[in-house]
Amino acid sequence: MNNKRVKNGLTEVLYEDDAYAKECNAKVLECRKVLRKTGEQEDTVYGIVLDRTVFFSEGGGQPADKGWINETEVLDVQKDENVILHYTKEPFDAGTDVVAKLDFAVRYERMQNHSGEHLFCGLIHKLYGYENVGFHMSKDSVTVDVNGVLGAEDFARLEKLANEGVDADAEIKAVYPDSPEELEYRSKLDLTEDIRVVIIEGYDACACCAPHVKRTGEIGLIKVMDFMSHRGGTRFTLKSGAWAREDYGMLHEEICDIMRTFSAKREECHVAAERVSEQLKSQQETITLLKKQITDLHIDKLHASVKNSGTSRVELIFAEALDEVQMRALINEGVTIASGIVAGFMGKDGEGYRYIISKNETVIEPDLRLLAKEMNEALNGRGGGSIKMIQGSVCANRADIEEYLYRFK
């Protein structure tokens, strides 16, 4: 077993020896012109091959490092048949001496989170025997899939032990076993050569190609954000270090806003929220009851109107307080007693009206689809439906609506 600096194809990978190296002098070995597709767009970029680099190329679920070659931004770093390509917008001539420089703040946060994930998954493997079968690092969190079921109590236990592992400030190192049998370690892949194992002393050993912090104390806070059942196992999201602190800061601000809203102490916010929830539930029940009473009043009014108007071809209903469900029920009731069209409008002048219009099944004309088209043009509206029922909205006042539809009387 040994620690060694690795050449990845033509390029010496410096983070193998020093994950904290922020920049290095390098020579351009090759510059490839590449047509790169991003979404629907294709751009011409240049794949720069260096004799040495501090950049980590995308791999194992972790994004590529960000940074610059001289003053030119490195857009991405990928491997192409074991050659490391640094993609840039500007070309560099072969033989040019350059400086490769990391955006180290981004690199360090990713190291914190990747090391935090190793520590956490090492504990899962040690305590439950489950394997890590999926890993993805986004811009501010890590998502992990394990092949076993874990619940809230399990994650509370694991989070406590993981943060105790942070406090222990254990050493983290990368080694290359001379043979796969030399060292017991976790791995998502069946590797047989060039195996790099990241060891967290006393906690974990896992095959990994990425840079890590030197000691667990640098990981900082480890926090489980959420978890869910996934393909017979469990998917969970972690944040460590700076990402966890930023999340805590955001949550603190939100809690302070909630405290001010409820005029409650921090530890009493959930009680205040439950109280408001119950009040809203009671108010909603009252509103539903009142809306039913309003609907019944409109039905009584509709019955009286039909009785008085005899064979009127249109009945108009304006009800600002009703929603679409209640208006539809009112319209459905109306067409059973009216001899023509029943048109319901919800809203008020200045804000527009939503409408539901239906007709008695014995009425042939008009075709409501044609009515919708004509009415939308006349009243600045939109909507449609079937021969028997249409719905939509119009930007017109009540007087204009009445004038337009009362022509059917």
Side-chain angles (χ1 to χ4, degrees), residues 386-405:
S386 67
I387 296 174
K388 295 182 178 181
M389 179 177 282
I390 57 175
Q391 64 184 74
S393 61
V394 293
C395 295
N397 59 41
R398 178 169 177 166
D400 293 333
I401 295 169
E402 289 176 337
E403 181 181 355
Y404 180 80
L405 287 175

Side-chain angles (χ1 to χ4, degrees), residues 53-322:
T53 188
V54 289
F55 283 85
F56 171 72
S57 59
E58 181 180 6
Q62 179 167 323
D65 281 330
K66 297 178 180 295
W68 304 266
I69 295 177
N70 289 349
E71 302 303 318
T72 300
E73 181 183 5
V74 175
L75 305 171
D76 196 6
V77 187
Q78 298 287 333
K79 289 180 184 176
D80 182 11
E81 296 182 353
N82 216 30
V83 174
I84 298 176
L85 296 174
H86 306 71
Y87 289 110
T88 64
K89 279 285 190 182
E90 303 294 331
F92 288 85
D93 292 333
T96 303
D97 292 324
V98 297
V99 176
K101 183 177 180 180
L102 291 179
D103 184 336
F104 190 74
V106 173
R107 153 70 76 81
Y108 190 70
E109 289 174 2
R110 289 175 178 173
M111 290 200 301
Q112 285 181 311
N113 279 271
H114 205 145
S115 297
E117 178 268 330
H118 274 231
L119 176 57
F120 202 92
C121 288
L123 287 166
I124 290 176
H125 183 73
K126 185 175 182 179
L127 297 174
Y128 300 92
Y130 299 156
E131 299 293 341
N132 177 341
V133 294
F135 170 84
H136 173 72
M137 180 180 289
S138 70
K139 65 178 182 179
D140 62 359
S141 65
V142 170
T143 301
V144 182
D145 296 335
V146 294
N147 61 353
V149 177
L150 296 169
E153 291 185 2
D154 300 313
F155 279 110
R157 177 191 184 196
L158 288 162
E159 187 179 288
K160 179 177 181 296
L161 291 173
N163 282 292
E164 288 176 357
V166 171
D167 293 340
D169 197 30
E171 182 185 10
I172 303 176
K173 61 184 178 182
V175 300
Y176 286 81
D178 294 326
S179 64
E181 299 80 19
E182 182 181 350
L183 179 67
E184 184 177 345
Y185 59 90
R186 299 185 296 113
S187 177
K188 291 189 289 292
L189 302 175
D190 187 16
L191 304 172
T192 57
E193 58 183 14
D194 293 331
I195 302 167
R196 180 178 185 265
V197 179
V198 174
I199 298 174
I200 303 179
E201 204 64 46
Y203 288 91
D204 187 43
C206 181
C208 181
C209 61
H212 286 261
V213 295
K214 290 181 179 179
R215 307 191 72 85
T216 59
E218 294 182 64
I219 296 171
L221 174 68
I222 298 177
K223 183 63 184 174
V224 180
M225 305 307 297
D226 56 47
F227 65 92
M228 60 183 289
S229 298
H230 181 71
R231 296 183 179 180
T234 308
R235 170 170 288 179
F236 61 95
T237 303
L238 284 179
K239 291 192 178 188
S240 299
W243 293 353
R245 292 196 304 273
E246 288 171 8
D247 186 77
Y248 175 81
M250 179 190 68
L251 290 176
H252 174 73
E253 290 178 4
E254 291 183 359
I255 286 291
C256 288
D257 288 341
I258 292 170
M259 290 166 62
R260 285 189 288 268
T261 299
F262 289 152
S263 297
K265 296 179 180 178
R266 180 187 291 264
E267 62 273 16
E268 296 173 352
C269 281
H270 70 287
V271 176
E274 289 173 358
R275 182 173 62 252
V276 171
S277 178
E278 288 300 319
Q279 290 171 350
L280 291 174
K281 182 179 177 182
S282 176
Q283 290 171 1
Q284 187 58 51
E285 290 172 351
T286 301
I287 290 169
T288 301
L289 177 61
L290 291 173
K291 283 185 176 182
K292 183 180 183 307
Q293 292 173 352
I294 292 171
T295 305
D296 291 341
L297 288 172
H298 278 289
I299 290 175
D300 291 341
K301 184 178 179 181
L302 185 61
H303 275 276
S305 177
V306 170
K307 183 178 179 180
N308 293 331
S309 61
T311 58
S312 174
R313 294 184 62 206
V314 63
E315 296 289 343
L316 293 185
I317 303 166
F318 286 86
E320 180 181 340
L322 296 186

